[in-house]
Amino acid sequence: MVSFKGYEEIIKKTYGSGQDHVFRHWGELNETEKKQLLDDLSEIDFDALKALFSKKQSHAEINFGPAPYIHLPSDAAEERERDRAAEAGREHIEGGGTAAFMVAGGQGSRLGFEGPKGKFRIAPVSGKSLFQIHAEKVFKYSGKYGVEIPLLIMTSRANHEETGAFFAENSYFGLNPASVKIFPQNMMPSLDSAGKLILESNHGVFKNPDGHGGSLTALQTSGSLDYLEKKGVKTISYFQVDNPLAKIIDPVFIGYHILKGAEISSKAIRKAYPEEKVGVFVEFSNGSVGVVEYSDLPGEKTFMKKGGDLVYSSANIAIHLFDASFVKRLTTGGGVSLPFHVAKKKIRSYTECGYLEVDGLKYEKFVFDALPLTERNVVFETVREEEFAPVKNASGVDSVESARALMSSLFRKWLESRGIAVPRQVMEIEISPLLAVDPEDLPVPLKIDGREKVYLERS
Ligand code: UTP
């Protein structure tokens, strides 16, 4: 058995759990590397990991129906109800009740971009990064509602420092640095197909970020919940870094959330076609609401129709509102009990023969698994083209090109809705968030030049 002063317990635990292969390169390590490996091991809950590996993945409960949701207004009465919600939401925002929360801890492996995904330059004309677009939106909303809206950013081990440095180099894109909180999420070890830890180097265990569901625990452990409480923030507006169209602060959505006293509210869009790879909102037999992933939705439910419409049609776009005190209740004490989901992935593993690709098991939590734990929630329908442009892949579906096209076409609509003529020659158009986060912010009259690419910035 290897030995190192002060680490006797963890060494014993590692051997006792049958994971002592991680010490295979011990003889090659210097004292610092030995300590790094042991510190890495100290963070692992071996018993929980063993239990996870032996657990049969239970498929989602099949006893469910479609979840009720607030649909887009179809008559004057429903329009008036929306106006009332907008009023309540505006009041809440102006009173300092809301913070923005961006999750940016993912690995962005499909995009294949080196560095934090938020640094990816997505804007169709200016080439602004995802981080800049989101930060500038928060800046604009703060001005619009006359209140400093805090921005929380969750990172992970691999991109935390680079994210912090990017914001600092860019002077936080005009935001007050004291109101921008950047904190990393937890990491979770992956296992090989025999349940063994995988080495990423001779002195490091391979770990992946613990999923966007890890964000609730990270809000607590980073001290962000206490920070928000001191500032009087009650509502956390959650969105993903890779959706440049996310309406980060939406008074109508916030209004419904507040009026209903919801613990979590979620935005939904209509599924584009039955097999679209999105999760759908459902109501389980015990009355709780949740999301069932497309891969878990049985075939007959995927295609089920009523009156010509898909029955399971409200799709999750990962925009939620969290009641801060609900998150606190969930995460204090024993921690959030969101389940881990397993995904099979090829992982680069350090072995005695150098680096090899092995079949690995990656464990992640999903944030929407908190939904069934609520007593009150809202599912709120919105328009796909106005709020959803995921940047997952370099090309094809949900890609850089599709997101740029969606941005351009939304901005064109904004201009047209304000009676601003867009000349035919204009192919790509971009509106800076500093100029407008909603069409109503656009200054009119406004003249657009007949160029191929148009960028509208604050003057
Ligand atoms: P995705 O899983 O869709 O994207 O995460 P990804 O991890 O960035 O990219 P792939 O899957 O490796 O290609 C959706 C959102 O959740 C965040 C991501 O940063 C993204 O905003 N996320 C995901 C986290 O913050 N932490 C995680 O552990 C996983």
Side-chain angles (χ1 to χ4, degrees), residues 102-112 117 154-156 159 185-186 208-215 238-243 318 345 362 364-365 391-393:
M102 165 163 55
V103 289
Q107 294 164 306
S109 42
R110 282 169 288 171
L111 187 60
K117 204 178 196 177
M154 185 178 81
T155 58
S156 58
N159 65 24
Q185 65 183 113
N186 280 333
N208 56 266
D210 65 348
H212 42 65
S215 60
Y238 168 106
F239 64 100
Q240 301 188 330
V241 66
D242 53 13
N243 179 11
K345 285 250 168 174
K362 179 177 164 186
E364 283 191 312
K365 291 179 182 176
V391 185
K392 301 291 180 192
N393 306 301

mmCIF file of all heavy atoms in Angstrom, residues 102-112 117 154-156 159 185-186 208-215 238-243 318 345 362 364-365 391-393, ligand 1:
data_model
loop_
_atom_site.group_PDB
_atom_site.id
_atom_site.type_symbol
_atom_site.label_atom_id
_atom_site.label_comp_id
_atom_site.label_asym_id
_atom_site.label_seq_id
_atom_site.Cartn_x
_atom_site.Cartn_y
_atom_site.Cartn_z
ATOM 1 N N MET A 102 -26.455 32.605 -15.448
ATOM 2 C CA MET A 102 -26.028 31.927 -16.683
ATOM 3 C C MET A 102 -25.226 30.673 -16.332
ATOM 4 O O MET A 102 -24.254 30.757 -15.578
ATOM 5 C CB MET A 102 -25.147 32.890 -17.488
ATOM 6 C CG MET A 102 -24.340 32.242 -18.584
ATOM 7 S SD MET A 102 -23.734 33.440 -19.793
ATOM 8 C CE MET A 102 -22.853 34.618 -18.819
ATOM 9 N N VAL A 103 -25.634 29.529 -16.891
ATOM 10 C CA VAL A 103 -24.828 28.322 -16.668
ATOM 11 C C VAL A 103 -23.881 28.148 -17.849
ATOM 12 O O VAL A 103 -24.296 28.113 -18.996
ATOM 13 C CB VAL A 103 -25.676 27.051 -16.404
ATOM 14 C CG1 VAL A 103 -26.334 27.120 -15.047
ATOM 15 C CG2 VAL A 103 -26.714 26.798 -17.475
ATOM 16 N N ALA A 104 -22.599 28.081 -17.514
ATOM 17 C CA ALA A 104 -21.566 28.039 -18.558
ATOM 18 C C ALA A 104 -20.454 27.072 -18.166
ATOM 19 O O ALA A 104 -19.280 27.296 -18.447
ATOM 20 C CB ALA A 104 -21.007 29.446 -18.763
ATOM 21 N N GLY A 105 -20.854 26.006 -17.488
ATOM 22 C CA GLY A 105 -19.845 25.048 -17.015
ATOM 23 C C GLY A 105 -19.650 23.868 -17.958
ATOM 24 O O GLY A 105 -18.794 23.025 -17.737
ATOM 25 N N GLY A 106 -20.466 23.821 -19.030
ATOM 26 C CA GLY A 106 -20.420 22.659 -19.929
ATOM 27 C C GLY A 106 -19.109 22.570 -20.697
ATOM 28 O O GLY A 106 -18.313 23.511 -20.705
ATOM 29 N N GLN A 107 -18.908 21.431 -21.345
ATOM 30 C CA GLN A 107 -17.631 21.189 -22.012
ATOM 31 C C GLN A 107 -17.641 21.617 -23.480
ATOM 32 O O GLN A 107 -16.597 21.676 -24.116
ATOM 33 C CB GLN A 107 -17.264 19.712 -21.871
ATOM 34 C CG GLN A 107 -16.990 19.359 -20.406
ATOM 35 C CD GLN A 107 -16.996 17.879 -20.150
ATOM 36 O OE1 GLN A 107 -17.948 17.173 -20.475
ATOM 37 N NE2 GLN A 107 -15.924 17.383 -19.569
ATOM 38 N N GLY A 108 -18.837 21.883 -24.015
ATOM 39 C CA GLY A 108 -18.930 22.352 -25.403
ATOM 40 C C GLY A 108 -18.269 21.408 -26.390
ATOM 41 O O GLY A 108 -17.728 21.848 -27.405
ATOM 42 N N SER A 109 -18.333 20.102 -26.107
ATOM 43 C CA SER A 109 -17.570 19.171 -26.952
ATOM 44 C C SER A 109 -18.108 19.102 -28.383
ATOM 45 O O SER A 109 -17.330 18.978 -29.320
ATOM 46 C CB SER A 109 -17.519 17.781 -26.313
ATOM 47 O OG SER A 109 -18.771 17.452 -25.786
ATOM 48 N N ARG A 110 -19.428 19.248 -28.561
ATOM 49 C CA ARG A 110 -19.975 19.157 -29.919
ATOM 50 C C ARG A 110 -19.529 20.332 -30.786
ATOM 51 O O ARG A 110 -19.314 20.199 -31.976
ATOM 52 C CB ARG A 110 -21.510 19.096 -29.877
ATOM 53 C CG ARG A 110 -22.032 17.734 -29.493
ATOM 54 C CD ARG A 110 -23.509 17.788 -29.214
ATOM 55 N NE ARG A 110 -23.821 18.459 -27.958
ATOM 56 C CZ ARG A 110 -25.039 18.788 -27.559
ATOM 57 N NH1 ARG A 110 -26.063 18.545 -28.341
ATOM 58 N NH2 ARG A 110 -25.238 19.368 -26.394
ATOM 59 N N LEU A 111 -19.391 21.487 -30.172
ATOM 60 C CA LEU A 111 -18.993 22.672 -30.928
ATOM 61 C C LEU A 111 -17.519 22.577 -31.330
ATOM 62 O O LEU A 111 -17.106 23.120 -32.352
ATOM 63 C CB LEU A 111 -19.243 23.931 -30.079
ATOM 64 C CG LEU A 111 -19.031 25.275 -30.757
ATOM 65 C CD1 LEU A 111 -19.970 25.416 -31.949
ATOM 66 C CD2 LEU A 111 -19.271 26.413 -29.775
ATOM 67 N N GLY A 112 -16.742 21.872 -30.493
ATOM 68 C CA GLY A 112 -15.327 21.677 -30.808
ATOM 69 C C GLY A 112 -14.548 22.978 -30.756
ATOM 70 O O GLY A 112 -13.652 23.204 -31.562
ATOM 71 N N LYS A 117 -17.178 28.092 -23.916
ATOM 72 C CA LYS A 117 -18.100 28.289 -25.039
ATOM 73 C C LYS A 117 -18.561 29.752 -25.112
ATOM 74 O O LYS A 117 -18.824 30.283 -26.180
ATOM 75 C CB LYS A 117 -19.307 27.373 -24.816
ATOM 76 C CG LYS A 117 -20.076 27.005 -26.059
ATOM 77 C CD LYS A 117 -21.201 26.049 -25.634
ATOM 78 C CE LYS A 117 -21.809 25.309 -26.765
ATOM 79 N NZ LYS A 117 -22.831 24.344 -26.327
ATOM 80 N N MET A 154 -22.096 30.378 -13.665
ATOM 81 C CA MET A 154 -21.507 29.117 -13.200
ATOM 82 C C MET A 154 -20.538 28.596 -14.268
ATOM 83 O O MET A 154 -20.880 28.494 -15.436
ATOM 84 C CB MET A 154 -22.577 28.070 -12.923
ATOM 85 C CG MET A 154 -21.979 26.804 -12.337
ATOM 86 S SD MET A 154 -23.220 25.562 -11.939
ATOM 87 C CE MET A 154 -23.496 24.825 -13.551
ATOM 88 N N THR A 155 -19.337 28.278 -13.817
ATOM 89 C CA THR A 155 -18.296 27.735 -14.694
ATOM 90 C C THR A 155 -17.977 26.322 -14.204
ATOM 91 O O THR A 155 -18.649 25.813 -13.310
ATOM 92 C CB THR A 155 -17.024 28.582 -14.573
ATOM 93 O OG1 THR A 155 -16.629 28.550 -13.185
ATOM 94 C CG2 THR A 155 -17.267 30.030 -14.989
ATOM 95 N N SER A 156 -16.918 25.737 -14.757
ATOM 96 C CA SER A 156 -16.421 24.487 -14.159
ATOM 97 C C SER A 156 -14.897 24.525 -14.165
ATOM 98 O O SER A 156 -14.306 25.473 -14.684
ATOM 99 C CB SER A 156 -16.952 23.276 -14.902
ATOM 100 O OG SER A 156 -16.568 23.356 -16.241
ATOM 101 N N ASN A 159 -12.865 25.687 -17.227
ATOM 102 C CA ASN A 159 -12.986 27.005 -17.875
ATOM 103 C C ASN A 159 -13.149 28.163 -16.887
ATOM 104 O O ASN A 159 -13.362 29.295 -17.302
ATOM 105 C CB ASN A 159 -14.140 26.989 -18.900
ATOM 106 C CG ASN A 159 -15.510 26.797 -18.257
ATOM 107 O OD1 ASN A 159 -15.711 27.099 -17.087
ATOM 108 N ND2 ASN A 159 -16.469 26.303 -19.020
ATOM 109 N N GLN A 185 -18.762 24.925 -10.624
ATOM 110 C CA GLN A 185 -19.626 23.852 -10.140
ATOM 111 C C GLN A 185 -18.763 22.678 -9.671
ATOM 112 O O GLN A 185 -17.537 22.688 -9.839
ATOM 113 C CB GLN A 185 -20.567 23.404 -11.253
ATOM 114 C CG GLN A 185 -19.869 22.771 -12.450
ATOM 115 C CD GLN A 185 -20.856 22.407 -13.567
ATOM 116 O OE1 GLN A 185 -20.821 23.001 -14.625
ATOM 117 N NE2 GLN A 185 -21.707 21.438 -13.328
ATOM 118 N N ASN A 186 -19.405 21.673 -9.119
ATOM 119 C CA ASN A 186 -18.682 20.478 -8.673
ATOM 120 C C ASN A 186 -18.292 19.609 -9.850
ATOM 121 O O ASN A 186 -18.900 19.681 -10.916
ATOM 122 C CB ASN A 186 -19.569 19.639 -7.751
ATOM 123 C CG ASN A 186 -19.578 20.196 -6.355
ATOM 124 O OD1 ASN A 186 -18.628 20.838 -5.923
ATOM 125 N ND2 ASN A 186 -20.678 19.976 -5.647
ATOM 126 N N ASN A 208 -15.759 15.017 -14.784
ATOM 127 C CA ASN A 208 -16.506 15.937 -15.640
ATOM 128 C C ASN A 208 -17.374 16.830 -14.750
ATOM 129 O O ASN A 208 -17.670 16.468 -13.607
ATOM 130 C CB ASN A 208 -17.375 15.158 -16.654
ATOM 131 C CG ASN A 208 -18.319 14.179 -15.991
ATOM 132 O OD1 ASN A 208 -18.003 13.009 -15.839
ATOM 133 N ND2 ASN A 208 -19.476 14.661 -15.564
ATOM 134 N N PRO A 209 -17.764 18.011 -15.254
ATOM 135 C CA PRO A 209 -18.676 18.842 -14.467
ATOM 136 C C PRO A 209 -19.959 18.055 -14.164
ATOM 137 O O PRO A 209 -20.376 17.234 -14.985
ATOM 138 C CB PRO A 209 -18.974 20.035 -15.392
ATOM 139 C CG PRO A 209 -17.994 19.963 -16.516
ATOM 140 C CD PRO A 209 -17.478 18.577 -16.593
ATOM 141 N N ASP A 210 -20.566 18.316 -13.015
ATOM 142 C CA ASP A 210 -21.661 17.425 -12.575
ATOM 143 C C ASP A 210 -23.028 17.752 -13.191
ATOM 144 O O ASP A 210 -24.068 17.406 -12.623
ATOM 145 C CB ASP A 210 -21.741 17.362 -11.034
ATOM 146 C CG ASP A 210 -22.121 18.691 -10.400
ATOM 147 O OD1 ASP A 210 -22.110 19.733 -11.100
ATOM 148 O OD2 ASP A 210 -22.424 18.704 -9.191
ATOM 149 N N GLY A 211 -23.018 18.398 -14.343
ATOM 150 C CA GLY A 211 -24.267 18.644 -15.070
ATOM 151 C C GLY A 211 -24.890 19.982 -14.677
ATOM 152 O O GLY A 211 -24.559 20.545 -13.630
ATOM 153 N N HIS A 212 -25.837 20.471 -15.529
ATOM 154 C CA HIS A 212 -26.443 21.766 -15.170
ATOM 155 C C HIS A 212 -27.272 21.648 -13.900
ATOM 156 O O HIS A 212 -27.519 22.642 -13.218
ATOM 157 C CB HIS A 212 -27.213 22.402 -16.325
ATOM 158 C CG HIS A 212 -28.055 21.468 -17.141
ATOM 159 N ND1 HIS A 212 -29.131 20.828 -16.617
ATOM 160 C CD2 HIS A 212 -27.971 21.089 -18.440
ATOM 161 C CE1 HIS A 212 -29.682 20.081 -17.572
ATOM 162 N NE2 HIS A 212 -28.998 20.209 -18.687
ATOM 163 N N GLY A 213 -27.653 20.419 -13.537
ATOM 164 C CA GLY A 213 -28.359 20.218 -12.268
ATOM 165 C C GLY A 213 -27.472 20.529 -11.073
ATOM 166 O O GLY A 213 -27.967 20.776 -9.966
ATOM 167 N N GLY A 214 -26.158 20.541 -11.296
ATOM 168 C CA GLY A 214 -25.228 20.895 -10.217
ATOM 169 C C GLY A 214 -25.311 22.378 -9.879
ATOM 170 O O GLY A 214 -24.738 22.829 -8.887
ATOM 171 N N SER A 215 -26.027 23.130 -10.707
ATOM 172 C CA SER A 215 -26.072 24.579 -10.498
ATOM 173 C C SER A 215 -26.770 24.955 -9.188
ATOM 174 O O SER A 215 -26.429 25.960 -8.571
ATOM 175 C CB SER A 215 -26.773 25.269 -11.670
ATOM 176 O OG SER A 215 -28.093 24.798 -11.801
ATOM 177 N N TYR A 238 -32.695 31.798 -14.758
ATOM 178 C CA TYR A 238 -31.689 30.827 -15.222
ATOM 179 C C TYR A 238 -31.713 30.701 -16.741
ATOM 180 O O TYR A 238 -32.773 30.558 -17.343
ATOM 181 C CB TYR A 238 -32.049 29.486 -14.576
ATOM 182 C CG TYR A 238 -31.332 28.251 -15.098
ATOM 183 C CD1 TYR A 238 -30.329 27.640 -14.341
ATOM 184 C CD2 TYR A 238 -31.674 27.680 -16.321
ATOM 185 C CE1 TYR A 238 -29.690 26.491 -14.807
ATOM 186 C CE2 TYR A 238 -31.033 26.537 -16.781
ATOM 187 C CZ TYR A 238 -30.045 25.953 -16.020
ATOM 188 O OH TYR A 238 -29.411 24.825 -16.469
ATOM 189 N N PHE A 239 -30.554 30.745 -17.377
ATOM 190 C CA PHE A 239 -30.476 30.509 -18.829
ATOM 191 C C PHE A 239 -29.122 29.902 -19.165
ATOM 192 O O PHE A 239 -28.211 29.905 -18.345
ATOM 193 C CB PHE A 239 -30.708 31.818 -19.613
ATOM 194 C CG PHE A 239 -29.644 32.862 -19.371
ATOM 195 C CD1 PHE A 239 -28.610 33.048 -20.284
ATOM 196 C CD2 PHE A 239 -29.659 33.644 -18.227
ATOM 197 C CE1 PHE A 239 -27.617 33.998 -20.057
ATOM 198 C CE2 PHE A 239 -28.661 34.591 -17.989
ATOM 199 C CZ PHE A 239 -27.642 34.766 -18.911
ATOM 200 N N GLN A 240 -29.003 29.399 -20.383
ATOM 201 C CA GLN A 240 -27.776 28.717 -20.790
ATOM 202 C C GLN A 240 -26.924 29.632 -21.658
ATOM 203 O O GLN A 240 -27.451 30.376 -22.492
ATOM 204 C CB GLN A 240 -28.130 27.463 -21.584
ATOM 205 C CG GLN A 240 -28.985 26.495 -20.770
ATOM 206 C CD GLN A 240 -29.183 25.159 -21.459
ATOM 207 O OE1 GLN A 240 -29.196 25.070 -22.676
ATOM 208 N NE2 GLN A 240 -29.353 24.122 -20.670
ATOM 209 N N VAL A 241 -25.629 29.517 -21.487
ATOM 210 C CA VAL A 241 -24.710 30.388 -22.219
ATOM 211 C C VAL A 241 -24.867 30.246 -23.732
ATOM 212 O O VAL A 241 -24.628 31.192 -24.483
ATOM 213 C CB VAL A 241 -23.248 30.104 -21.794
ATOM 214 C CG1 VAL A 241 -22.787 28.708 -22.215
ATOM 215 C CG2 VAL A 241 -22.290 31.132 -22.365
ATOM 216 N N ASP A 242 -25.307 29.061 -24.187
ATOM 217 C CA ASP A 242 -25.291 28.826 -25.637
ATOM 218 C C ASP A 242 -26.602 29.176 -26.332
ATOM 219 O O ASP A 242 -26.862 28.707 -27.434
ATOM 220 C CB ASP A 242 -24.861 27.380 -25.952
ATOM 221 C CG ASP A 242 -25.677 26.348 -25.206
ATOM 222 O OD1 ASP A 242 -26.720 26.711 -24.637
ATOM 223 O OD2 ASP A 242 -25.267 25.174 -25.186
ATOM 224 N N ASN A 243 -27.431 29.995 -25.708
ATOM 225 C CA ASN A 243 -28.651 30.483 -26.372
ATOM 226 C C ASN A 243 -28.615 32.010 -26.457
ATOM 227 O O ASN A 243 -29.071 32.705 -25.553
ATOM 228 C CB ASN A 243 -29.891 30.020 -25.606
ATOM 229 C CG ASN A 243 -31.177 30.528 -26.247
ATOM 230 O OD1 ASN A 243 -31.165 31.058 -27.362
ATOM 231 N ND2 ASN A 243 -32.285 30.383 -25.542
ATOM 232 N N ALA A 318 -34.885 25.193 -21.511
ATOM 233 C CA ALA A 318 -33.895 25.455 -20.453
ATOM 234 C C ALA A 318 -33.823 26.923 -20.047
ATOM 235 O O ALA A 318 -32.748 27.473 -19.844
ATOM 236 C CB ALA A 318 -32.515 24.950 -20.885
ATOM 237 N N LYS A 345 -19.691 7.635 -22.985
ATOM 238 C CA LYS A 345 -18.817 8.572 -23.728
ATOM 239 C C LYS A 345 -17.459 7.941 -23.915
ATOM 240 O O LYS A 345 -17.009 7.186 -23.051
ATOM 241 C CB LYS A 345 -18.593 9.846 -22.874
ATOM 242 C CG LYS A 345 -19.762 10.752 -22.822
ATOM 243 C CD LYS A 345 -19.497 12.020 -23.588
ATOM 244 C CE LYS A 345 -20.792 12.786 -23.760
ATOM 245 N NZ LYS A 345 -20.686 14.050 -24.345
ATOM 246 N N LYS A 362 -20.328 8.720 -17.927
ATOM 247 C CA LYS A 362 -20.277 10.090 -17.407
ATOM 248 C C LYS A 362 -21.563 10.342 -16.618
ATOM 249 O O LYS A 362 -22.656 10.062 -17.125
ATOM 250 C CB LYS A 362 -20.168 11.006 -18.624
ATOM 251 C CG LYS A 362 -20.121 12.460 -18.352
ATOM 252 C CD LYS A 362 -19.941 13.208 -19.668
ATOM 253 C CE LYS A 362 -20.261 14.665 -19.524
ATOM 254 N NZ LYS A 362 -20.231 15.379 -20.788
ATOM 255 N N GLU A 364 -24.173 12.895 -14.720
ATOM 256 C CA GLU A 364 -24.584 14.308 -14.681
ATOM 257 C C GLU A 364 -25.966 14.460 -14.049
ATOM 258 O O GLU A 364 -26.817 13.589 -14.210
ATOM 259 C CB GLU A 364 -24.700 14.853 -16.111
ATOM 260 C CG GLU A 364 -23.390 15.172 -16.775
ATOM 261 C CD GLU A 364 -23.627 15.938 -18.069
ATOM 262 O OE1 GLU A 364 -24.476 15.507 -18.874
ATOM 263 O OE2 GLU A 364 -22.992 16.974 -18.260
ATOM 264 N N LYS A 365 -26.166 15.615 -13.410
ATOM 265 C CA LYS A 365 -27.510 15.951 -12.910
ATOM 266 C C LYS A 365 -28.155 16.924 -13.884
ATOM 267 O O LYS A 365 -27.454 17.737 -14.500
ATOM 268 C CB LYS A 365 -27.389 16.653 -11.553
ATOM 269 C CG LYS A 365 -26.917 15.762 -10.434
ATOM 270 C CD LYS A 365 -26.810 16.587 -9.167
ATOM 271 C CE LYS A 365 -26.290 15.749 -8.028
ATOM 272 N NZ LYS A 365 -26.095 16.548 -6.809
ATOM 273 N N VAL A 391 -26.712 27.009 -29.733
ATOM 274 C CA VAL A 391 -25.442 26.834 -30.463
ATOM 275 C C VAL A 391 -24.788 25.565 -29.916
ATOM 276 O O VAL A 391 -24.076 25.596 -28.916
ATOM 277 C CB VAL A 391 -24.503 28.039 -30.221
ATOM 278 C CG1 VAL A 391 -23.236 27.902 -31.079
ATOM 279 C CG2 VAL A 391 -25.210 29.350 -30.523
ATOM 280 N N LYS A 392 -25.118 24.442 -30.520
ATOM 281 C CA LYS A 392 -24.568 23.174 -30.022
ATOM 282 C C LYS A 392 -23.482 22.641 -30.948
ATOM 283 O O LYS A 392 -22.494 22.092 -30.504
ATOM 284 C CB LYS A 392 -25.681 22.111 -29.915
ATOM 285 C CG LYS A 392 -26.841 22.483 -29.005
ATOM 286 C CD LYS A 392 -26.447 22.505 -27.556
ATOM 287 C CE LYS A 392 -27.625 22.888 -26.670
ATOM 288 N NZ LYS A 392 -27.218 23.182 -25.301
ATOM 289 N N ASN A 393 -23.723 22.761 -32.276
ATOM 290 C CA ASN A 393 -22.831 22.132 -33.252
ATOM 291 C C ASN A 393 -22.183 23.182 -34.147
ATOM 292 O O ASN A 393 -22.696 24.296 -34.282
ATOM 293 C CB ASN A 393 -23.648 21.161 -34.125
ATOM 294 C CG ASN A 393 -24.408 20.165 -33.268
ATOM 295 O OD1 ASN A 393 -23.818 19.421 -32.496
ATOM 296 N ND2 ASN A 393 -25.738 20.179 -33.368
HETATM 297 P P1 UTP B 1 -25.099 21.043 -23.015
HETATM 298 O O1 UTP B 1 -24.783 19.728 -22.436
HETATM 299 O O2 UTP B 1 -26.175 21.117 -24.014
HETATM 300 O O3 UTP B 1 -23.853 21.685 -23.722
HETATM 301 O O4 UTP B 1 -25.332 22.046 -21.863
HETATM 302 P P2 UTP B 1 -22.302 21.615 -23.455
HETATM 303 O O5 UTP B 1 -21.938 20.821 -22.245
HETATM 304 O O6 UTP B 1 -21.799 23.016 -23.444
HETATM 305 O O7 UTP B 1 -21.797 20.927 -24.788
HETATM 306 P P3 UTP B 1 -21.598 19.397 -25.200
HETATM 307 O O8 UTP B 1 -22.821 18.647 -24.748
HETATM 308 O O9 UTP B 1 -20.333 18.956 -24.526
HETATM 309 O O10 UTP B 1 -21.469 19.502 -26.682
HETATM 310 C C1 UTP B 1 -26.369 22.973 -21.849
HETATM 311 C C2 UTP B 1 -25.988 24.145 -20.949
HETATM 312 O O11 UTP B 1 -25.713 23.696 -19.641
HETATM 313 C C3 UTP B 1 -24.407 24.105 -19.254
HETATM 314 C C4 UTP B 1 -23.656 24.368 -20.545
HETATM 315 O O12 UTP B 1 -22.587 25.270 -20.328
HETATM 316 C C5 UTP B 1 -24.746 24.932 -21.422
HETATM 317 O O13 UTP B 1 -24.976 26.282 -21.116
HETATM 318 N N1 UTP B 1 -23.794 23.017 -18.457
HETATM 319 C C6 UTP B 1 -23.844 21.752 -18.906
HETATM 320 C C7 UTP B 1 -23.165 23.352 -17.302
HETATM 321 O O14 UTP B 1 -23.120 24.546 -16.907
HETATM 322 N N2 UTP B 1 -22.582 22.355 -16.585
HETATM 323 C C8 UTP B 1 -22.610 21.073 -16.971
HETATM 324 O O15 UTP B 1 -22.051 20.216 -16.248
HETATM 325 C C9 UTP B 1 -23.257 20.751 -18.161
#
